[in-house]
Amino acid sequence: MAGFFYYGEDSGARILRANTGVTQVTSASTEQVHMHVKTWDWLPAGPIGDNVFREVAAVLKVSNGISFSLTPVVDEEDQLLRSFSVAGARTVEASAPVLERGARAAAELITTSRTGDVELEDILISGKGLRTTP
Amino acid sequence: MGPFTKGVIEGANRELSLEGALRFARNVRFDGIGRLKARNGDEVAMTLKVTGGSSNVTSVVEVIQFADFALAVGHSTVTDEVYLYRFTAAMTGWYNAAGALQSNLNAEPVGVLWTACTTAPAVSIAEGLNEAYIAHNGSLNATALSFPLKKYTMPGTIATVTADFGAGVVNVYALGAVSYNQHLWIWGFDKTAVAGTAYRPEKLRHSAPYFDTIVAAGSGSFDIGHRVRSAREGIQCGIVAGEVLYIGGAFGLWAIVGEGRDSFQKKPLSSVVGIAGLKAACEANGVLYGWSYRGPFRVSGFSMPEELHVGIPDTVAAIANPQRVIAAYDEDRDQVCYFYDSSGVRKKFASYDITRDVWLGPDSAIGVGIACANRITPVTSSAVALDPPTGPPTAASTSSIGSTTAVANWANGDVSAGTSTTVEYRIQGATAWSSAGTAGTAATSFTITGLSNNTAYEWRAAHLKNGQLSAYLGPVAGSQFTTAESGTGTGDPMSPPTGLVAYDYTYYIGAGAVYMSWTNSGETDASTQIVRAGPSGAAPADGDYSAIVTKTPDLNGHVDFVPSTGTWWYKVRHVRGVDSSAYTAAVSVPMVV
């Protein structure tokens, strides 16, 4: 543990202590801090190849419940978003089917509600190459 | 790196390192070697009140460590006064003017620094020997002397600093103050009480040793640069890093070393890179990190400044007023954080990880991320000067109303990348809203959970983009609803699953394989029962379905194997004990076995 880190409000009277809890102070109340990650594109058959993508999956460790969404992205087009909610402390394995053909795929994960620690353990994208870039 | 790097991409690219895994990551941090976790938030440590506690100040203008305590300066546009506060180092309490520790978190000042100050000032505080010198950055100019340098002595004495330069005692004015090698250093003021000649923005002056009187002339002063009173060489910031006192002009940087008034020497380091503003630099582990008009840089010892802007050129270009940048060192994270306060809202727009030597900065329209860094860290808030949502959500309706859940529906007013929708709810008649959560880009519904049965609720929703909210949709008639009664018998209104889809997976798994998935409604400990009918070209009657499996709570997928060629039909519902939800709509999948 090092020192303390504080923010002073430029337009307000409050001094805020950083790096604590799972919510952050807003001008009116508080809001949860949400993880938002997106992978780089996966191009298993090269930049102009053809693949059939099967699903994206995420593995998270949570200490006290979570809601999150997982969105497959194929050729930069968002696919059907899947929402998940679990309670308690556990490892969550969630997947979203894709079944789209394309050259590249990515996954986007956004937590939408949390009351404890969240650790992103893994994101996986699966599919099969049909035609490789010449 | 840590476990997150394993299998980020399945199959062909197992060897991918973390640098190749994530395009951006917002609101995350590393823990240990490579655990990727959601970052923490923050909390209110203290609220500053005016003298007597009758109202809050309107601006916090400085917070620093001071001896074994902390000091803060606040300003009120109601009283036009500037106040000084003293706290415990961990801000668990504050001290009044008599030195008595108060344990509440509504701090009152130890005294008034300046009166008739109509706007929030930028101030600098130099720590002496259990004394603090406070300078007002607008204390003087070519036409007026306004807010003299102040000295604070614990517990509650605030006095104006004076000096005699040979023509009688005069108040001392300073644009800034810094403590270096047991001397008080101030800048912007020469030895006269006449405004026109007292104003010397390029002049640096120090006290006698041990924070004694301000020295009159000669060895007690330095001129920075050669263009007297030019904006180019006016001193903006003085800060100590390592063994060096760095003096920054807008476009120049000087180093001063020495151990006493006869040994101090200055050395110009750059006539291009300077420090843009009073708070635009900080010290981290003996190195100065600053923000110049060219962007960020760092310097140590007498070396040339090392410019760091090449890592975040878009970010640098987005800073319209670099003199308003604030730099601070977060020891917990080993990061130099850069803030920008252009609209009166604190915004951390970039951080430099001094242990990994990488930038953690904005990712264009997405917000703060790692685009330029390939590393991940706690970074907060929205980027600077990015667009708000183009419009609010519209057309509220509520569906799938259960005893503990309901689905809020809306039409999007903005479906561009990076736009989410935040949903809040409350009991009708209540004043406070609770967060239900945030829906992703282009989502048009969100399941509100954790409701009480047989209770009238209402919800509202707003788009969120780049940290800025649109107007709220609701509460309106379509966003008001009453949850169902709860019971234990068959037919109890549990919320059903949604989003059932089924696909032919013969290619992936084998003959007759049907993969299906759905979204659980959020019912606590609810299993999901799958029923099947077929093969049938037309939709089967309810009585034609038979249960094939019941999945344990939280699972949302299943692979079935059909026995023959034809179109097969599936429905799912939640079950819990003797309770059950309605079935989803049936979905069909044609199969060739």
Side-chain angles (χ1 to χ4, degrees):
Chain A
M1 179 64 189
F4 299 96
F5 192 58
Y6 296 95
Y7 308 113
E9 283 190 305
D10 185 60
S11 182
R14 299 175 299 185
I15 296 172
L16 308 177
R17 181 182 294 113
N19 305 330
T20 182
V22 300
T23 61
Q24 62 187 11
V25 177
T26 68
S27 58
S29 57
T30 60
E31 63 185 12
Q32 291 181 353
V33 177
H34 287 303
M35 173 187 286
H36 181 181
V37 299
K38 187 175 184 178
T39 67
W40 287 105
D41 285 333
W42 179 42
L43 298 84
I48 56 172
D50 196 12
N51 315 274
V52 57
F53 295 108
R54 190 165 60 195
E55 65 176 2
V56 300
V59 183
L60 300 97
K61 278 182 166 42
V62 300
S63 68
N64 190 24
I66 188 175
S67 296
F68 65 97
S69 66
L70 185 61
T71 305
V73 183
V74 176
D75 287 350
E76 301 180 0
E77 292 284 336
D78 285 358
Q79 306 298 305
L80 183 66
L81 174 149
R82 310 289 290 177
S83 298
F84 306 89
S85 292
V86 298
R90 63 175 62 191
T91 297
V92 183
E93 300 173 358
S95 67
V98 187
L99 290 178
E100 282 288 335
R101 290 173 62 158
R104 58 185 64 211
E108 185 172 14
L109 183 147
I110 307 173
T111 65
T112 53
S113 178
R114 72 175 181 117
T115 52
D117 285 344
V118 179
E119 178 185 343
L120 177 60
E121 189 173 275
D122 213 346
I123 292 181
L124 303 100
I125 308 172
S126 62
K128 187 176 181 62
L130 300 178
R131 181 176 59 83
T132 304
T133 302
Chain B
M1 301 301 291
F4 179 74
T5 63
K6 294 179 180 177
V8 171
I9 302 296
E10 183 186 87
N13 287 320
R14 282 283 186 190
E15 74 281 9
L16 275 182
S17 67
L18 179 67
E19 282 76 8
L22 293 181
R23 183 179 186 278
F24 73 82
R26 181 165 52 190
N27 291 337
V28 297
R29 64 184 170 89
F30 269 132
D31 187 51
I33 293 176
R35 299 170 66 202
L36 185 68
K37 304 184 73 174
R39 72 165 174 84
N40 290 329
D42 53 35
E43 63 183 8
V44 176
M46 196 69 68
T47 300
L48 305 187
K49 301 283 187 179
V50 302
T51 304
S54 59
S55 64
N56 292 348
V57 300
T58 51
S59 182
V60 180
V61 297
E62 181 65 297
V63 184
I64 68 156
Q65 293 177 315
F66 169 70
D68 294 329
F69 308 95
L71 291 182
V73 176
H75 173 259
S76 170
T77 55
V78 177
T79 63
D80 287 344
E81 292 181 331
V82 182
Y83 305 97
L84 181 68
Y85 303 80
R86 181 164 67 102
F87 313 101
T88 61
M91 288 207 182
T92 52
W94 54 278
Y95 295 90
N96 63 18
L101 177 63
Q102 312 294 310
S103 58
N104 66 71
L105 302 182
N106 293 306
E108 294 183 38
V110 294
V112 177
L113 291 167
W114 300 287
T115 60
C117 184
T118 56
T119 58
V123 304
S124 52
I125 301 177
E127 182 176 352
L129 299 171
N130 281 325
E131 298 167 339
Y133 295 86
I134 305 104
H136 186 305
N137 195 232
S139 65
L140 74 161
N141 54 34
T143 59
L145 304 171
S146 305
F147 305 104
L149 183 69
K150 297 288 185 176
K151 181 171 108 175
Y152 167 64
T153 307
M154 292 188 287
T157 302
I158 295 175
T160 296
V161 176
T162 59
D164 186 348
F165 296 122
V169 175
V170 297
N171 288 343
V172 173
Y173 298 82
L175 298 174
V178 62
S179 173
Y180 177 60
N181 271 352
Q182 301 285 9
H183 294 68
L184 170 67
W185 294 71
I186 64 170
W187 61 88
F189 174 70
D190 204 359
K191 52 177 183 176
T192 172
V194 179
T197 51
Y199 180 58
R200 294 288 299 274
E202 80 292 352
K203 175 76 77 178
L204 185 67
R205 186 175 280 287
H206 64 74
S207 72
Y210 308 111
F211 303 94
D212 205 339
T213 56
I214 302 292
V215 176
S219 61
S221 67
F222 286 89
D223 286 334
I224 298 304
H226 310 286
R227 304 173 183 86
V228 175
R229 302 186 194 188
S230 73
R232 179 178 181 82
E233 291 177 348
I235 297 170
Q236 305 297 316
C237 177
I239 185 169
V240 177
E243 298 294 320
V244 181
L245 169 61
Y246 292 96
I247 300 298
F251 301 95
L253 188 67
W254 290 261
I256 291 177
V257 294
E259 297 179 350
R261 58 182 169 183
D262 294 326
S263 67
F264 288 125
Q265 298 180 39
K266 70 176 180 181
K267 174 181 172 63
L269 301 180
S270 174
S271 57
V272 176
V273 172
I275 301 176
L278 180 66
K279 297 178 183 294
C282 67
E283 182 264 351
N285 292 353
V287 178
L288 171 72
Y289 285 81
W291 194 280
S292 78
Y293 278 79
R294 289 170 55 85
F297 70 94
R298 66 180 169 188
V299 63
S300 60
F302 278 169
S303 61
M304 291 283 288
E306 177 190 2
E307 296 193 69
L308 303 171
H309 62 263
V310 291
I312 50 171
D314 291 348
T315 303
V316 174
I319 303 300
N321 297 294
Q323 71 272 19
R324 298 180 68 85
V325 168
I326 297 172
Y329 177 45
D330 182 347
E331 294 179 41
D332 276 356
R333 299 283 178 266
D334 271 338
Q335 291 169 22
V336 174
C337 306
Y338 291 97
F339 298 82
Y340 190 56
D341 65 342
S342 61
S343 60
V345 178
R346 64 194 169 89
K347 294 176 178 176
K348 186 195 293 184
F349 64 88
S351 297
Y352 192 81
D353 189 316
I354 66 171
T355 59
R356 296 183 175 92
D357 260 350
V358 290
W359 275 107
L360 314 153
D363 180 6
S364 64
I366 299 296
V368 177
I370 59 162
C372 54
N374 289 335
R375 300 276 185 168
I376 305 161
T377 195
V379 282
T380 64
S381 192
S382 59
V384 176
L386 296 178
D387 295 332
T390 55
T394 57
S397 65
T398 309
S399 61
S400 302
I401 302 170
S403 58
T404 60
T405 64
V407 176
N409 306 284
W410 61 86
N412 283 308
D414 188 343
V415 294
S416 58
T419 303
S420 58
T421 305
T422 182
V423 181
E424 299 177 334
Y425 69 97
R426 67 182 178 187
I427 295 174
Q428 290 183 27
T431 54
W433 293 92
S434 299
S435 173
T438 303
T441 301
T444 57
S445 65
F446 189 85
T447 301
I448 304 171
T449 61
L451 304 175
S452 299
N453 66 296
N454 196 29
T455 304
Y457 285 94
E458 57 191 2
W459 58 266
R460 66 177 184 174
H463 288 320
L464 177 65
K465 183 178 183 181
N466 298 324
Q468 301 169 81
L469 280 173
S470 71
Y472 276 99
L473 163 65
V476 295
S479 70
Q480 295 180 318
F481 62 97
T482 300
T483 50
E485 291 279 4
S486 181
T488 56
T490 301
D492 175 56
M494 294 174 65
S495 295
T498 57
L500 175 63
V501 291
Y503 303 104
D504 178 357
Y505 255 47
T506 302
Y507 179 84
Y508 302 107
I509 299 177
V514 175
Y515 171 79
M516 69 201 75
S517 70
W518 59 89
T519 300
N520 292 315
S521 67
E523 291 279 358
T524 303
D525 294 329
S527 302
T528 304
Q529 184 186 57
I530 304 172
V531 296
R532 182 182 72 189
S536 170
D542 288 347
D544 294 334
Y545 285 88
S546 57
I548 57 172
V549 68
T550 298
K551 307 296 286 187
T552 54
D554 299 329
L555 293 180
N556 67 337
H558 178 67
V559 175
D560 183 37
F561 290 89
V562 298
S564 60
T565 297
T567 299
W568 291 84
W569 300 77
Y570 294 92
K571 298 191 294 186
V572 299
R573 68 175 180 176
H574 283 326
V575 295
R576 180 178 56 216
V578 297
D579 292 344
S580 62
S581 73
Y583 281 107
T584 61
V587 297
S588 64
V589 53
M591 299 293 294
V592 177
V593 178

